[in-house]
């Protein structure tokens, strides 16, 4: 085990290392190879940060718009995924009927699905939310279900020996047991829902970080493009961190769960 | 490990004598057979064949035998975790199912089977929640139970923070929490090291002495069975059946020294010989 202090030190070394390599690479491209496209291919890292600081409120506004829809969709999708898992665990028949379609649903590329949804609802915000939910529900559902089906027999027998009802069994055993699995699914889904929301931006939204990405790419404002890329990355990381913090709060007992890839 | 607190003995003396006599028959097992069908389509396995047994109220009885003798199966039949292929089990005239539905069994498994997400206190509390007991009542009872097993200081801990022996004691506290009439124990100490096991055996006898429950204790350890029991039921395998019933007339309360008496060894020899006859 590495101590917290040591881990912090390792992280600092990594950050400094990446910064230096990046700056060196940018210098090499611009100063040594004299590449005319250098500032598009690999701009200096410090200039990207400078652009972010200069356009901070603008980027934050765009990111906030996209992120809020992603969160809304994420919550909806997680809710649907959770309930679906419960229903599937309650009834083998439902599981048998629903599961193949769940997997099939993930074969439809979001890129193709997004315009269809947009055409149907004709509203950018609703589309963002629906697509984010669509992306979220599958990994959540699959992981939750794998938690519910892996409750050991002895734990169930204990409930049985006390003649516990279905409701008690679920609230006192099945669901709490499956929480670590649920969070494994949520951790996969969170950055994915952000990605989905950005993707919908690009379909012709008037605002959002995806629009920033697209416009700056086409209009040739390279600095802004890279600033948007960094903002998007930060959104993904933040979404993951939020789930991580919630996980620590809701699961104070220790349990290692191997993450199942949702899609 | 902590010493037990003897301040409150009255609470554990409470016992419902109204519907049966102290020495009455608690559990009657008549001609019970259990056959498990083979999953791969092979020969069915006869786990128990024509088992007859009467267990008295307040008795500490051990089901002893090698693996495959059906001792755990017999316990599970009494617990209504399995239904016999043929034969009849009655608990004070009722079916095991009725007794289970009335929540009169306390079960301790081989593994502690604690719920990882609950603190020790809330683990012990769980069966009482299922019974719909009032919160104030539950809190008081949990404290009493943890006191009884000497784990009062560990109430706020999570199971993973406790040693195997401590976890098993939590399991015992939980089983006793709802004042069961029959305590069913399925090799509860077999996963523990020898020192912890001997300590817990003494703990268990103390608790039993206080609560006076009927205890059915499954084990494959001869010395454990002799040390704990009023009667040892020896089962032999293929097919599982009762091959001997040995009364253990060692004086109670029993302590560590009891294990070194010639009588103790006599009983062990007697039981071991009953296996060789098979």
């Amino acid at each position: 085990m590495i101590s917290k202090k040591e881990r912090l030190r390792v992280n600092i070394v990594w950050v400094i290392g990446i910064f230096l390599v990046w700056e060196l690479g940018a210098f090499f491209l611009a100063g040594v190879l004299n590449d005319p496209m250098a500032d598009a291919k690999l701009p200096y890292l410090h200039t990207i940060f400078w652009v972010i600081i200069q356009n901070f409120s603008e980027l934050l506004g765009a990111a906030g718009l996209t992120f809020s829809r992603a969160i809304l969709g994420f919550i909806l999708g997680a809710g649907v995924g959770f309930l679906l898992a419960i229903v599937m665990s309650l009834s083998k028949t439902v599981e048998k009927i629903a599961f193949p379609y769940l997997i099939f649903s993930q074969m439809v590329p979001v890129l193709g699905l997004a315009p269809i949804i947009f055409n149907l609802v004709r509203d950018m915000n609703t589309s963002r939310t629906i697509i984010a939910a669509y992306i979220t529900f599958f990994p959540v559902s699959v992981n939750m279900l794998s938690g519910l089906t892996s409750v050991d027999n002895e734990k169930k027998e204990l409930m049985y020996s006390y003649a516990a009802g279905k409701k008690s069994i679920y609230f006192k055993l099945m669901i709490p047991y499956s929480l670590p699995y649920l969070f494994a699914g949520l951790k996969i889904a969170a950055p994915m829902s952000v990605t989905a929301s950005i993707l919908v931006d690009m379909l012709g939204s008037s605002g959002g970080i995806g629009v920033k990405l697209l416009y700056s790419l086409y209009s040739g404002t390279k600095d802004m493009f890279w600033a948007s890329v960094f903002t998007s990355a930060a959104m993904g990381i933040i979404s993951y961190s939020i789930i991580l913090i919630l996980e620590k709060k809701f699961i104070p007992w220790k349990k290692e769960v191997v993450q199942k890839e949702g899609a | 490990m902590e010493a037990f607190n003897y301040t409150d003995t009255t609470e554990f003396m409470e016992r419902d004598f109204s519907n049966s006599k102290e020495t009455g028959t608690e559990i009657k097992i008549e001609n019970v057979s259990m056959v498990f069908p083979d999953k791969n389509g092979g020969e069915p396995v006869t786990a128990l064949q024509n088992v007859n047994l009467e267990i008295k109220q307040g008795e500490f009885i051990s089901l002893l035998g090698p693996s495959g003798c059906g001792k755990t199966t017999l316990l599970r039949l009494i617990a209504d975790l399995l239904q016999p292929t043929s034969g009849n089990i009655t608990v004070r005239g009722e079916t095991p199912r009725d007794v289970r539905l009335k929540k009169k069994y306390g079960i301790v498994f081989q593994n502690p089977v604690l719920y990882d997400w609950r603190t020790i206190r809330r683990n012990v509390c769980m069966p009482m929640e299922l019974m719909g007991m009032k919160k104030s009542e539950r809190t008081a009872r949990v404290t009493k139970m943890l006191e009884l097993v000497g784990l009062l200081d560990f109430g706020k801990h999570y199971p993973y923070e406790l040693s195997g022996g401590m976890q098993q004691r939590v399991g015992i506290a939980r089983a006793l929490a709802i004042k069961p009439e029959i305590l069913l124990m399925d090799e509860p100490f077999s996963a523990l090291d020898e020192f912890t096991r001997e300590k817990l055996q003494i703990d268990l006898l103390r608790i039993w002495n206080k609560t006076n429950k009927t205890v059915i204790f499954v084990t494959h350890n001869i010395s454990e069975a002799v040390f704990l029991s009023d009667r040892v039921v020896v089962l032999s395998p293929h097919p599982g059946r009762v091959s001997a019933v040995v009364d253990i007339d060692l004086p109670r309360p029993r302590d560590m020294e009891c294990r070194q008496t010639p009588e103790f060894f006599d009983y062990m020899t007697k039981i071991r010989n009953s296996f060789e006859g098979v």
Side-chain angles (χ1 to χ4, degrees):
Chain A
M1 271 303 279
I2 324 169
S3 72
K4 253 191 181 158
K5 229 180 195 172
E6 241 173 294
R7 207 180 306 156
L8 186 73
R9 220 175 294 155
V10 169
N11 283 340
I12 290 172
V13 170
W14 266 107
V15 168
I16 294 172
I18 290 171
F19 188 82
L20 284 179
V21 169
W22 189 303
E23 292 287 88
L24 271 175
F27 173 75
F28 183 72
L29 213 58
V32 180
L33 295 180
N34 289 319
D35 192 323
M37 293 288 285
D39 56 342
K41 286 178 181 166
L42 196 70
Y44 282 106
L45 201 54
H46 66 267
T47 60
I48 298 173
F49 282 121
W50 183 236
V51 174
I52 292 178
I53 292 166
Q54 275 177 323
N55 300 284
F56 191 71
S57 64
E58 197 187 331
L59 284 167
L60 192 71
L65 185 71
T66 307
F67 201 62
S68 62
R69 300 307 142 194
I71 288 181
L72 195 63
F74 176 78
I75 292 171
L76 271 172
V80 170
F82 177 85
L83 289 177
L84 207 63
I86 300 277
V87 172
M88 283 194 287
S89 84
L90 276 168
S91 157
K92 266 267 164 290
T93 325
V94 173
E95 190 193 333
K96 273 195 189 125
I97 294 170
F99 207 77
Y101 291 98
L102 284 189
I103 291 170
F104 179 72
S105 78
Q106 296 305 300
M107 293 174 188
V108 182
V110 180
L111 209 55
L113 193 73
I116 299 174
I117 301 285
F118 182 67
N119 269 331
L120 282 173
V121 297
R122 290 264 152 216
D123 176 61
M124 215 58 215
N125 279 336
T126 319
S127 306
R128 278 200 198 95
T129 311
I130 292 175
I131 293 294
Y134 177 81
I135 284 283
T136 303
F137 94 93
F138 185 75
V140 171
S141 201
V142 169
N143 278 279
M144 182 71 191
L145 183 64
S146 93
L148 290 169
T149 49
S150 64
V151 179
D152 27 320
N153 249 338
E154 277 182 325
K155 287 194 168 73
K156 286 192 210 161
E157 279 180 349
L158 187 76
M159 278 285 171
Y160 180 82
S161 75
Y162 290 122
K166 264 252 145 64
K167 199 180 135 202
S168 301
I169 293 175
Y170 267 80
F171 280 102
K172 291 189 196 299
L173 171 60
M174 306 294 276
I175 293 172
Y177 178 93
S178 306
L179 277 186
Y181 294 83
L182 175 69
F183 270 96
L186 292 176
K187 275 192 271 184
I188 298 166
M192 279 167 66
S193 71
V194 172
T195 309
S197 199
I198 293 172
L199 189 84
V200 178
D201 280 347
M202 294 180 168
L203 294 176
S205 170
S206 55
I209 197 73
V211 178
K212 283 262 172 306
L213 272 170
L214 212 60
Y215 283 7
S216 56
L217 186 64
Y218 288 146
S219 64
T221 42
K222 289 131 199 161
D223 294 342
M224 197 56 186
F225 172 72
W226 280 92
S228 305
V229 169
F230 270 61
T231 310
S232 313
M235 285 160 68
I237 294 167
I238 288 169
S239 72
Y240 185 84
S241 309
I242 291 173
I243 303 298
L244 218 57
I245 291 165
L246 287 177
E247 186 183 31
K248 284 241 165 72
K249 189 172 156 42
F250 281 106
I251 310 181
W253 68 93
K254 270 185 185 168
K255 175 131 194 181
E256 298 293 325
V257 174
V258 184
Q259 287 197 5
K260 272 202 174 177
E261 282 306 324
Chain B
M1 288 187 200
E2 316 69 35
F4 284 114
N5 192 328
Y6 286 103
T7 48
D8 182 19
T9 47
T10 49
E11 204 268 340
F12 302 106
M13 300 299 250
E14 54 177 315
R15 223 184 123 101
D16 186 13
F17 296 118
S18 54
N19 51 8
S20 60
K21 277 171 257 155
E22 167 76 32
T23 51
T25 300
E26 183 102 309
I27 301 168
K28 202 168 189 175
I29 297 162
E30 294 167 297
N31 270 320
V32 163
S33 295
M34 184 76 209
V35 182
F36 292 109
D38 189 87
K39 278 177 199 134
N40 305 320
E43 285 285 296
V45 181
T46 306
L48 289 170
Q49 198 169 53
N50 291 330
V51 172
N52 287 287
L53 190 64
E54 277 189 24
I55 297 165
K56 288 195 276 292
Q57 189 163 19
E59 192 175 26
F60 198 122
I61 198 159
S62 283
L63 307 177
L64 174 73
S67 345
C69 72
K71 54 193 189 298
T72 293
T73 303
L74 188 55
L75 185 94
R76 295 171 69 85
L77 288 170
I78 297 169
D80 189 40
L81 292 169
L82 285 173
Q83 279 74 45
T85 313
S86 65
N88 208 14
I89 298 176
T90 49
V91 181
R92 297 185 188 180
E94 294 182 299
T95 63
R97 186 179 167 77
D98 288 334
V99 181
R100 175 176 68 82
L101 292 179
K102 286 180 184 167
K103 300 181 173 69
K104 290 190 173 169
Y105 286 131
I107 304 187
V108 182
F109 295 92
Q110 184 173 358
N111 301 314
V113 200
L114 301 180
Y115 287 1
D116 317 308
W117 51 93
R118 285 176 169 245
T119 59
I120 298 310
R121 284 197 75 94
R122 296 200 57 235
N123 260 290
V124 176
C125 197
M126 202 272 294
M128 291 185 271
E129 291 169 18
L130 293 174
M131 286 195 94
M133 218 182 260
K134 261 187 269 148
K135 196 171 180 206
S136 56
E137 205 179 334
R138 289 196 315 239
T139 312
R141 184 101 188 129
V142 169
T143 304
K144 257 171 207 163
M145 286 300 117
L146 287 180
E147 217 167 25
L148 184 71
V149 297
L151 287 176
L152 199 52
D153 295 339
F154 292 87
K156 293 213 158 58
H157 287 62
Y158 282 98
Y160 75 89
E161 297 172 295
L162 269 60
S163 70
M166 288 157 104
Q167 289 190 16
Q168 200 52 280
R169 280 194 279 164
V170 177
I172 294 170
R174 179 183 57 195
L176 292 170
I178 55 165
K179 305 178 188 171
E181 303 194 348
I182 296 158
L183 190 57
L184 304 169
M185 308 183 86
D186 187 6
E187 303 193 37
F189 306 147
S190 64
L192 306 173
D193 65 81
E194 191 66 25
F195 300 102
T196 313
R197 186 188 313 168
E198 289 189 355
K199 170 82 172 68
L200 282 194
Q201 286 167 1
I202 289 187
D203 289 352
L204 177 62
L205 283 186
R206 269 183 203 150
I207 293 167
W208 174 68
N209 193 36
K210 278 193 198 178
T211 57
N212 234 357
K213 314 265 183 226
T214 306
V215 181
I216 300 170
F217 190 99
V218 168
T219 180
H220 54 235
N221 185 319
I222 298 177
S223 114
E224 182 171 70
V226 172
F227 181 68
L228 293 171
S229 317
D230 293 324
R231 261 198 309 160
V232 176
V233 177
V234 181
L235 292 145
S236 52
H238 313 300
R241 63 197 182 279
V242 177
S243 62
V245 179
V246 181
D247 286 291
I248 310 291
D249 278 327
L250 294 169
R252 290 188 190 270
R254 297 175 190 166
D255 52 19
M256 284 295 186
E257 277 147 41
C258 164
R259 291 177 206 273
Q260 276 135 41
T261 58
E263 291 84 1
F264 189 85
F265 286 106
D266 287 346
Y267 280 121
M268 281 187 62
T269 314
K270 191 174 171 188
I271 289 171
R272 194 168 284 124
N273 288 342
S274 76
F275 279 116
E276 276 161 13
V278 177

